Amino acid sequence: MAASTLTEVARLAGVSPATASRVLNGSARTPGPDIAERVRNAAESLGYIPNAQAQGLAKSSSGLLGLIVHDIADPYFSAIARGVQDAAREQGKMVLLATTGGTPADERVAVAAFAARRADSIVIAGSRSTRPADQDGNAELAAELDRYCRNGGRVGVVGHPVVGASASEGYHVVAVPNEELAAELARQLAANHAQEFVIVAGPEGLLTSDDRVRGFQKGLAAAGKPPAEVMHSGFDRAGGYEAGQLLAARIKADQASGAASSRPCIFAVNDVMAIGAAAALRSEGLRIPRDASVAGFDDIETLRDFRPALSTVRLPLEEIGRLAALGTAGNSAADVSAGAVTGQVTLRRSTETPPQVAA
Amino acid sequence: MAASTLTEVARLAGVSPATASRVLNGSARTPGPDIAERVRNAAESLGYIPNAQAQGLAKSSSGLLGLIVHDIADPYFSAIARGVQDAAREQGKMVLLATTGGTPADERVAVAAFAARRADSIVIAGSRSTRPADQDGNAELAAELDRYCRNGGRVGVVGHPVVGASASEGYHVVAVPNEELAAELARQLAANHAQEFVIVAGPEGLLTSDDRVRGFQKGLAAAGKPPAEVMHSGFDRAGGYEAGQLLAARIKADQASGAASSRPCIFAVNDVMAIGAAAALRSEGLRIPRDASVAGFDDIETLRDFRPALSTVRLPLEEIGRLAALGTAGNSAADVSAGAVTGQVTLRRSTETPPQVAA
DNA sequence: ATAAGTCGGGAAAGCGCATTCCCACCGCTC
DNA sequence: GAGCGGTGGGAATGCGCTTTCCCGACTTAT
């Protein structure tokens, strides 16, 4: 028993399909009240559900919004996803989800799939990469997106424009002031930390990571500090843990030798990495903030109960998702500027300097 | 400039649309190699992307899988979503996401929307509710789902069957042994805890919460303990926090009066609530496990670095999502049994009994 | 009262594709 | 060499809906 069709409803109501269509969906023309009533009753009794595919085909617009994330289980992305979902609901759209693991090649595939489904717009979250290995992938992704835009699609990007994308019509990027905020974080940390700074970064070439590293170094410089050492690792908890282990060994060695520069201030470029690093230190018997300061970035909600409370930079993730989705709605140039987002350096216990340990 | 169509490709290749269709999508009939080559080249040069809507219309199957969750930003759901997404990808489907906040009425709307999009299958995650207020919503949801199934849709549910759904064809529920696991947790905790037990539960009528409460009480009984007091609250961190505040006040009063039953063992029916409760205790100056034991349920990944490490029941969330999605794939009755899932009681520091505090 | 102007409804033409049916042509057998 | 099944390609139909166009009936102005 297949779902009933508009035609069936029309027949039961004794009207033409055209009329039925007009009353069941908002058309410019509104049939008479009595007819409308009849049609609505017929639809009701048949349990009529319009076929969105057919509707989409007919008016070439699908009511779909494609969302591309690296990993939906990552709290960073799921927070953004919530914002996107919210905005989509407001626009009466449904969201199509694609997770790609962050490789441009997979992202290209996802874009193509969205294009095939005639998604009205696409939101891409997740860091862009400039790694040489991703170069071809980036080019193809950019080409795919450009084509999508040329065909009338609108795309919203979180963070950086897609590498190599020509700034064609329909592009909207929600700028995240990673660099500025990282600099500000560095400045505030520098005020209380005499010891060396270490940056636990993601893979080189990951734009978000690179920006935060650069900003942090600038902030350090502005505060008259020497640049921090940068350790590259995975952009996730495991990466942070790995770096943390290295650091733990070093700290313990320093402590054993009574060297001056123990108790480093560690800046991990995102909260999840920071947690990983902290876990590594702890598993080596070190304590935070006694033996090291740790700061992250993002202010992931689920991690706010972490102890010691993590110093970080609050980013309005959900809002960012909203803006990215909203930016693809209608309008145009004007809202590009409105797409700016602000964060907030948030110092907590993990970077407190114990008075008794002061230099 | 609209996207190019199959017809255009066919014309450029000098063949009929039928032939073009046959080569570009796997048809039973395969055109000659030379022709296929021509068509493929034409498609390539035109940047042809098949219109999935039209394809869906023509073969009435959309390649869509609808996923319904309460809140995608909740780590519990995002973990499940990852599993679903994975399974969907394997099946060559895309996932449509809907978040409903858990109200049956909204879920009904989501199901209808999925039905309109002719999603091949629907996965519903998130606890069912039997609250009186949701009765009507449940009935409507069940009706909507039944209709969807009758029209050939397949639905996978994690946890409990939808309240009131007739077990029609195409239903698949992934059973989660909440009760058994909660009982086991209670047994294990009872072995080390002489003091009173308190259950921080979700709203009454939330099946998942109710099951875990019931199981825990049974486990307690099996261990010869009196039943635990049950506090109802929100099923989220805020709910846990709220209950935690009440408990903190009580514990402090007990401690002040030197009463015997201080240091309760608190079982929160999910990890997020447990974290909330723990945060509340801590904000009142109480320490875990010194002043109280706390256990949760789910073993949320992001929370594993929480200190003190949270005793909980590990649930293979991602696997659950996979199974739910896979269950809607093809096959039928046989895999219903295969849909069983096992969890693992995991005791950690948060429920350790300090020797020196022993009764 | 008649002409011009609405308004409400229906017929029909797509939207882009899959697929059934049909036909021309091939090599084959007897 | 004529009849045969088989094969590869095209014409046409339909999926369910929107939308333009058209037409009859009604209203209003002269």
Side-chain angles (χ1 to χ4, degrees):
Chain A
M1 169 191 174
S4 50
T5 72
L6 221 211
T7 310
E8 292 172 21
V9 172
R11 193 170 342 157
L12 190 103
V15 301
S16 76
T19 303
S21 169
R22 290 197 260 256
V23 16
L24 292 180
N25 315 335
S27 163
R29 290 178 46 178
T30 321
D34 48 340
I35 294 228
E37 177 73 8
R38 276 220 313 278
V39 171
R40 250 184 286 273
N41 285 341
E44 173 73 18
S45 78
L46 252 43
Y48 170 70
I49 295 186
N51 185 325
Q53 308 220 63
Q55 291 189 156
L57 223 209
K59 33 181 195 192
S60 57
S61 120
S62 59
L64 255 27
L65 183 156
L67 170 62
I68 297 181
V69 298
H70 290 186
D71 174 8
I72 190 61
D74 183 317
Y76 173 83
F77 290 110
S78 60
I80 290 180
R82 171 151 63 177
V84 170
Q85 167 84 51
D86 248 34
R89 185 202 291 262
E90 281 171 24
Q91 301 173 39
K93 295 191 196 300
M94 299 222 61
V95 359
L96 266 173
L97 183 64
T99 73
T100 62
T103 66
D106 280 352
E107 294 180 329
R108 194 199 72 93
V109 172
V111 169
F114 289 158
R117 294 243 137 69
R118 297 301 186 265
D120 297 333
S121 48
I122 295 181
V123 170
I124 303 188
S127 183
R128 303 298 90 211
S129 158
T130 57
R131 272 169 292 188
D134 288 332
Q135 199 166 353
D136 292 354
N138 273 327
E140 288 183 31
L141 172 59
E144 196 73 54
L145 276 173
D146 277 358
R147 184 195 323 184
Y148 174 73
C149 282
R150 256 181 284 118
N151 289 342
R154 316 201 29 114
V155 0
V157 191
V158 172
H160 302 80
V162 170
V163 177
S166 62
S168 51
E169 201 64 35
Y171 251 98
H172 176 90
V173 4
V174 176
V176 178
N178 283 310
E179 189 169 336
E180 294 78 354
L181 289 168
E184 177 59 23
L185 174 63
R187 267 191 294 272
Q188 295 197 21
L189 289 175
N192 295 316
H193 287 77
Q195 257 76 7
E196 64 166 340
F197 287 83
V198 180
I199 301 179
V200 175
E204 209 154 3
L206 209 62
L207 257 37
T208 302
S209 172
D210 289 353
D211 281 357
R212 293 176 181 176
V213 169
R214 190 175 338 108
F216 199 84
Q217 299 283 35
K218 282 190 186 174
L220 248 28
K225 301 271 185 183
E229 175 192 357
V230 180
M231 304 176 67
H232 289 284
S233 184
F235 199 59
D236 50 15
R237 181 190 180 282
Y241 193 89
E242 200 179 308
Q245 286 181 309
L246 263 40
L247 284 168
R250 193 191 303 178
I251 293 170
K252 293 212 285 195
D254 280 359
Q255 286 179 343
S257 70
S261 70
S262 47
R263 204 182 174 287
C265 179
I266 303 168
F267 166 54
V269 294
N270 69 44
D271 276 5
V272 177
M273 292 182 73
I275 295 298
L281 294 197
R282 190 158 40 207
S283 77
E284 294 295 328
L286 298 176
R287 306 194 51 148
I288 298 164
R290 193 193 61 194
D291 300 310
S293 283
V294 174
F297 207 108
D298 288 342
D299 198 22
I300 298 295
E301 197 175 330
T302 322
L303 261 21
R304 300 218 181 117
D305 286 309
F306 184 80
R307 284 304 114 121
L310 189 64
S311 290
T312 185
V313 176
R314 170 167 300 190
L315 240 34
L317 260 16
E318 196 172 332
E319 179 69 9
I320 287 174
R322 280 185 57 81
L323 288 175
L326 253 23
T328 65
N331 326 10
S332 51
D335 51 25
V336 172
S337 53
V341 147
T342 66
Q344 177 71 42
V345 171
T346 309
L347 295 188
R348 302 203 182 100
R349 183 111 206 296
S350 72
T351 53
E352 275 177 15
T353 322
Q356 71 277 18
V357 185
Chain B
M1 168 191 176
S4 50
T5 73
L6 223 211
T7 310
E8 291 173 23
V9 172
R11 192 171 343 157
L12 189 101
V15 302
S16 76
T19 303
S21 169
R22 289 197 261 259
V23 16
L24 292 181
N25 315 336
S27 162
R29 290 177 48 179
T30 320
D34 47 341
I35 295 230
E37 176 73 8
R38 275 223 311 280
V39 172
R40 251 184 286 273
N41 286 341
E44 173 74 19
S45 77
L46 252 42
Y48 170 70
I49 296 186
N51 185 326
Q53 308 220 64
Q55 291 189 155
L57 224 207
K59 23 181 205 197
S60 56
S61 116
S62 60
L64 254 26
L65 183 156
L67 170 61
I68 297 181
V69 298
H70 289 186
D71 174 8
I72 190 61
D74 183 317
Y76 173 82
F77 290 110
S78 60
I80 290 181
R82 170 151 63 181
V84 170
Q85 166 84 51
D86 249 34
R89 186 202 293 261
E90 281 171 24
Q91 301 173 37
K93 293 190 196 301
M94 299 222 62
V95 0
L96 266 174
L97 182 65
T99 73
T100 63
T103 66
D106 280 352
E107 293 179 331
R108 194 199 72 93
V109 172
V111 170
F114 289 157
R117 294 244 139 67
R118 296 301 185 265
D120 297 333
S121 48
I122 295 181
V123 170
I124 303 188
S127 182
R128 304 297 90 212
S129 157
T130 58
R131 271 169 293 184
D134 288 332
Q135 200 166 351
D136 292 353
N138 274 326
E140 288 183 31
L141 172 59
E144 196 74 53
L145 277 172
D146 279 357
R147 185 192 326 182
Y148 175 74
C149 282
R150 257 180 283 120
N151 289 341
R154 316 203 27 114
V155 0
V157 189
V158 359
H160 302 80
V162 171
V163 177
S166 62
S168 52
E169 202 63 36
Y171 252 96
H172 176 90
V173 3
V174 176
V176 178
N178 283 310
E179 190 170 337
E180 293 78 353
L181 290 168
E184 177 60 23
L185 174 64
R187 268 190 294 274
Q188 295 198 21
L189 289 175
N192 295 315
H193 286 77
Q195 257 76 7
E196 64 164 340
F197 286 82
V198 179
I199 302 179
V200 174
E204 210 155 1
L206 208 64
L207 257 38
T208 303
S209 173
D210 289 352
D211 282 357
R212 293 178 183 175
V213 169
R214 190 176 336 111
F216 198 83
Q217 298 283 35
K218 283 190 186 172
L220 247 29
K225 299 272 185 185
E229 176 192 357
V230 180
M231 304 175 66
H232 291 285
S233 184
F235 200 59
D236 50 13
R237 182 190 179 282
Y241 192 89
E242 200 178 310
Q245 285 181 309
L246 262 41
L247 284 167
R250 193 191 304 180
I251 295 171
K252 292 211 287 193
D254 281 0
Q255 287 180 342
S257 70
S261 68
S262 45
R263 204 179 173 289
C265 179
I266 303 169
F267 167 53
V269 294
N270 70 42
D271 276 6
V272 176
M273 291 182 74
I275 295 297
L281 293 196
R282 190 157 41 208
S283 77
E284 295 294 328
L286 298 176
R287 307 193 53 150
I288 298 165
R290 193 193 64 192
D291 301 309
S293 283
V294 174
F297 207 108
D298 289 341
D299 198 22
I300 297 297
E301 196 175 331
T302 322
L303 261 20
R304 299 217 182 118
D305 286 310
F306 183 79
R307 281 310 111 120
L310 189 64
S311 291
T312 186
V313 176
R314 171 168 299 192
L315 241 34
L317 260 16
E318 196 172 333
E319 179 70 9
I320 288 174
R322 279 186 57 82
L323 288 175
L326 254 25
T328 65
N331 326 8
S332 51
D335 51 26
V336 172
S337 54
V341 147
T342 66
Q344 176 71 44
V345 171
T346 309
L347 295 189
R348 302 205 182 98
R349 184 107 207 296
S350 71
T351 53
E352 275 178 17
T353 321
Q356 69 277 18
V357 185

